[in-house]
Amino acid sequence: MGAATTRGTDGRRGLPWLVLGLWVALLAVAGPFAARLADVQHDRATDYLPASADSTQVARLQDRLPGGETTELVLVYHRTGGLTAADRATAGRQTATVAGRHTLTTAPKGIPSADGTTLMYPVTSNEPGTDEKKRDTLVDDIRQIAHSQGGLTVQVGGPAALATDASAVYGSLGGPLLYTTVAVVAVLLILIYRSPLLWLVPLAVAGIGDFLARAAAYGLNQTFGTTVSGQSAGIMTILVFGAGTDYALLLVSRYREELRRHERPYDAMRAALRGCGPAVLASSGTVAAGLLCLLAADLNSSRGMGPLGTVGVLCALAAMLTLLPAVLVLLGRRVFWPLVPAHGSTPTERRSLFAVMGSSAGRRPLTVLASGTALLGALALGTLNLPGAVKQLDTFVDRPDSVTAMRTLAEAYPERSAQPIEILTPADRADATLAAARATRGVAGAEKGRTGGGWTEITVTASAPPQSAAETAIIKALRHRVDGSYVGGPSAQQLDLADTDARDRLVVVPIVLLSVLLILMVLLRSLVAPLILMAAVVAVWGAALGLGGLVFEPLFGFHGTDPGLGLLSFVFLVALGVDYGIFLMHRMREESLKGAEPAEAALIALRTTGGVIASAGLVLAATFAVLTNMGLVPLVELGFVIAVGVLLDTFLVRTYLVTSASVALGRRVWWPGPLSRTPETPRKRTPEPVG
């Protein structure tokens, strides 16, 4: 572009080019590290389990036993009318082929069901060790060997098969999640900007921010050992595009305003950054602080999501406050074509939707506030209808082969569990622990396994279906009876996940509330305004969860709720909801400092920022809604609750409730800051008598 494009009043003509060059150099350095993030992404049980739980200790100790971590599968042969001799011969040949092709700890032995319809072969191998790719290769190869034929149904189940199917879903998060998110954001930006070029700029910058975030996440993993899972990496990408696009919308909107006041784009961008930069910095800092509170969680998956989410937000912030302004300045006014904001022009005055909404809130603030609060309270009652904790077999939206196999086993073998309970006990106490396990009520059988490193593995078979109330009672009884030992396995892992999530809510939620409240008090120099914002986002969280309770089981057909849904949705909705509150309150404070009365300042803030906040809310809700298209129930539930919560926050809480509360309270909304005091009218001085 010409010299006028980049020449500012301070003479720094080449600053945008310098910023662009620095970003090119930064991306060149970050490139190799971003490409390695997939190599350190893992979705093993220990990446999600609570750090201090029994089941975590079992998983870690199993790695030290001879052969390392074992891969446990179950081959299920089923014919509804009853197995024939030919079916049993087929099962024998196929399992023999498996044993001949792979290293198994024991030869497979068939266990027939009482009704004669099913034959299961437990298969255990230490061939893959802890390598997830080798495990998936083993499972896929066994599925090719053990295939259905002639009316005989053959399925592969067990913990390893379930893990492989879950890994396939998490693996799909990288490509499809990114492409879907980009497509959704692109469509919304085209509709918002109504320009053939402008929408490309923030979208491309967000993509660069995501690339940088991936490199930074890899650095965190290598430096601090931060857990990187499919879930946390996927949500990091959503945050980069969602939050980054929000910041871009706010900046571009203010930049468009300033282009009408300033001749040179460079000067207009400087004014725009001065105007909205503090709000963007404050909001991103609040989001980052809220996410970092997840470091207090004991659950590995939640604790790892905190740093990765923070990295995503900060990389989005850096890209939108440095690279985006530089690119916009270099492209000049023509990037807004066909709606180019000419210098000295006045935007067409139109009575916007938010002006109408603000007027209604301004006329009857208490009525609007009471009715909106009642609506949120009514929606929150839906939480009473939330289903219980989701079982492992119900975590898939579609039913993969492993889930079908486990359901077949549950029906054919009601007297025993198809998932073992693992006990790791000191080797010198193995016999006593074995005896105690066999004497526990509900235990169908127990056998000693491998010994190494001073520990012995005992495999327990329960006489109850996996993750049933009866099996849970057996696990708790075993933990009570086998002191000094650890009780784990798939069902124990799910039990520990639920217990730890409950503990984390009690610890993390107060920390999030306190930290965000303190930050808001410093930013807004008020106590009342932060309390209003915090009460609003908590109400939104309750209402969004309540809507989930009304649709998860009746509409979506989900048979359980992810135990971590409450905590993660709370952290995200509080952090992101306060984000929008800062945009609104910052503009309200700005107008108050200019001399506007409190009610007038609130309505001006809503009228000027309402459209931007609505656009940002739509983009953020749409990016999280992408998760509802993924194949795992926990991701669908999380995406639904956050998307609905953001929409409620955008179109009900920010526009009506916060504005109504601000109008009703007047200057008291800024108490005890200086703005809460009514400015004194200068009194006329009476001249002193002369004489």
Side-chain angles (χ1 to χ4, degrees):
M1 302 302 296
T5 303
T6 58
R7 185 171 61 248
T9 55
D10 61 354
R12 285 180 289 180
R13 302 172 53 182
L15 184 57
W17 286 109
L18 176 62
V19 171
L20 190 61
L22 290 175
W23 269 95
V24 171
L26 178 62
L27 293 178
V29 173
F33 301 105
R36 296 178 192 171
L37 184 64
D39 298 334
V40 299
Q41 177 180 312
H42 297 290
D43 293 291
R44 299 168 300 184
T46 50
D47 296 317
Y48 288 83
L49 289 173
S52 59
D54 264 28
S55 53
T56 309
Q57 302 304 319
V58 168
R60 290 173 177 168
L61 289 172
Q62 283 178 326
D63 292 344
R64 305 178 191 174
L65 295 176
E69 183 179 347
T70 59
T71 300
E72 297 173 344
L73 297 164
V74 182
L75 276 60
V76 183
Y77 294 85
H78 175 79
R79 187 184 289 272
T80 304
L83 294 171
T84 64
D87 293 337
R88 294 186 179 88
T90 299
R93 287 195 303 271
Q94 291 185 354
T95 53
T97 302
V98 170
R101 187 177 296 182
H102 298 284
T103 303
L104 306 182
T105 57
T106 57
K109 295 182 180 179
I111 303 174
S113 63
D115 60 6
T117 63
T118 310
L119 186 63
M120 74 169 177
Y121 283 83
V123 173
T124 303
S125 172
N126 54 22
E127 188 177 87
T130 58
D131 192 309
E132 295 173 67
K133 293 182 180 179
K134 289 183 178 179
R135 177 204 64 200
D136 296 342
T137 300
L138 171 67
V139 172
D140 292 339
D141 187 64
I142 290 178
R143 282 174 170 168
Q144 290 180 359
I145 297 172
H147 58 275
S148 303
Q149 59 183 45
L152 173 66
T153 302
V154 184
Q155 300 152 347
V156 179
L162 288 168
T164 293
D165 289 335
S167 178
V169 176
Y170 282 120
S172 70
L173 291 181
L177 180 65
L178 176 61
Y179 305 146
T180 308
T181 302
V182 170
V184 167
V185 173
V187 170
L188 289 174
L189 287 178
I190 291 172
L191 294 175
I192 292 168
Y193 286 140
R194 291 173 291 171
S195 168
L197 176 61
L198 181 58
W199 66 274
L200 277 170
V201 180
L203 187 63
V205 172
I208 292 172
D210 181 57
F211 188 80
L212 180 62
R214 294 180 66 83
Y218 176 80
L220 283 178
N221 173 270
Q222 295 299 297
T223 306
F224 302 105
T226 303
T227 300
V228 180
S229 65
Q231 184 186 53
S232 60
I235 289 180
M236 181 185 72
T237 292
I238 285 178
L239 279 173
V240 171
F241 279 92
T245 305
D246 283 1
Y247 303 149
L249 286 168
L250 192 68
L251 176 64
V252 172
S253 176
R254 192 62 177 259
Y255 178 51
R256 190 196 295 266
E257 288 182 31
E258 299 298 338
L259 281 172
R260 301 182 188 277
R261 303 189 184 103
H262 298 273
E263 181 180 357
R264 296 184 178 89
Y266 183 90
D267 297 332
M269 182 57 73
R270 288 186 64 190
L273 287 172
R274 282 197 301 266
C276 70
V280 173
L281 285 170
S283 61
S284 60
T286 306
V287 174
L291 293 176
L292 281 178
C293 292
L294 284 171
L295 287 171
D298 190 38
L299 201 63
N300 281 342
S301 54
S302 297
R303 193 171 63 253
M305 192 176 296
L308 260 66
T310 301
V311 160
V313 170
L314 295 182
C315 287
L317 173 71
M320 294 305 169
L321 287 189
T322 59
L323 180 59
L324 178 62
V327 173
L328 288 175
V329 168
L330 291 173
L331 291 176
R333 297 176 186 273
R334 286 173 290 180
V335 73
F336 289 93
W337 186 87
L339 305 175
V340 179
H343 176 235
S345 64
T346 303
T348 305
E349 290 291 338
R350 293 181 298 178
R351 186 166 175 78
S352 68
L353 170 65
F354 294 95
V356 175
M357 298 170 77
S359 298
S360 63
R363 286 194 301 269
R364 295 179 294 274
L366 293 179
T367 302
V368 171
L369 187 61
S371 58
T373 303
L375 175 61
L376 292 177
L379 291 176
L381 292 176
T383 56
L384 301 175
N385 196 48
L386 283 171
V390 65
K391 297 181 179 179
Q392 188 180 22
L393 297 185
D394 296 324
T395 57
F396 296 91
V397 175
D398 299 319
R399 184 180 292 184
D401 182 65
S402 58
V403 172
T404 304
M406 301 306 285
R407 294 195 183 280
T408 300
L409 291 174
E411 294 174 2
Y413 301 87
E415 75 285 354
R416 61 179 292 157
S417 173
Q419 290 191 158
I421 300 172
E422 306 287 355
I423 300 178
L424 266 293
T425 186
D428 57 354
R429 300 179 55 185
D431 292 335
T433 301
L434 180 63
R438 287 173 173 171
T440 302
R441 184 177 180 181
V443 171
E447 301 294 336
K448 281 199 294 186
R450 299 169 294 168
T451 297
W455 294 87
T456 296
E457 181 183 55
I458 295 175
T459 302
V460 175
T461 303
S463 60
Q467 290 185 255
S468 61
E471 191 199 38
T472 299
I474 295 170
I475 293 172
K476 291 181 177 179
L478 285 170
R479 286 178 170 173
H480 179 72
R481 293 177 65 97
V482 291
D483 292 334
S485 303
Y486 299 108
V487 179
S491 296
Q493 292 170 4
Q494 297 300 311
L495 176 62
D496 289 337
L497 285 172
D499 290 344
T500 307
D501 271 312
R503 173 263 176 200
D504 285 349
R505 283 196 299 272
L506 295 176
V507 173
V508 177
V509 167
I511 296 176
V512 172
L513 289 173
L514 182 60
S515 61
V516 173
L517 181 62
L518 291 175
I519 292 173
L520 288 176
M521 289 169 59
V522 173
L523 293 175
L524 300 177
R525 302 176 191 176
S526 165
L527 176 60
V528 175
L531 287 174
I532 292 174
L533 293 180
M534 294 304 298
V537 293
V538 171
V540 164
W541 172 66
L545 271 182
L547 279 171
L550 297 177
V551 302
F552 284 164
E553 191 165 19
L555 186 61
F556 295 166
F558 297 159
H559 299 297
T561 305
D562 178 41
L565 175 64
L567 176 62
L568 292 180
S569 62
F570 178 84
V571 172
F572 281 110
L573 283 178
V574 167
L576 297 172
V578 167
D579 201 22
Y580 295 145
I582 291 174
F583 292 163
L584 184 66
M585 284 289 188
H586 181 268
R587 190 60 181 257
M588 193 184 305
R589 181 179 177 82
E590 186 179 334
E591 297 299 329
S592 297
L593 289 172
K594 292 178 181 178
E597 289 298 316
E600 182 187 5
L603 298 180
I604 292 175
L606 178 60
R607 187 169 62 250
T608 55
T609 65
V612 178
I613 290 177
S615 301
L618 284 172
V619 170
L620 189 63
T623 53
F624 273 97
V626 171
L627 288 176
T628 62
N629 195 40
M630 299 298 108
L632 291 175
V633 168
L635 294 179
V636 174
E637 292 177 340
L638 182 64
F640 176 87
V641 170
I642 295 179
V644 167
V646 169
L647 292 176
L648 285 173
D649 188 80
T650 302
F651 293 101
L652 174 62
V653 173
R654 298 290 154 239
T655 52
Y656 277 119
L657 301 191
V658 172
T659 302
S660 298
S662 301
V663 172
L665 289 171
R667 292 189 178 278
R668 286 169 293 183
V669 76
W670 302 114
W671 185 87
L675 287 176
S676 64
R677 294 185 286 274
T678 303
E680 296 183 2
T681 303
R683 292 180 296 175
K684 292 183 180 180
R685 184 177 178 182
T686 304
E688 296 180 1
V690 178

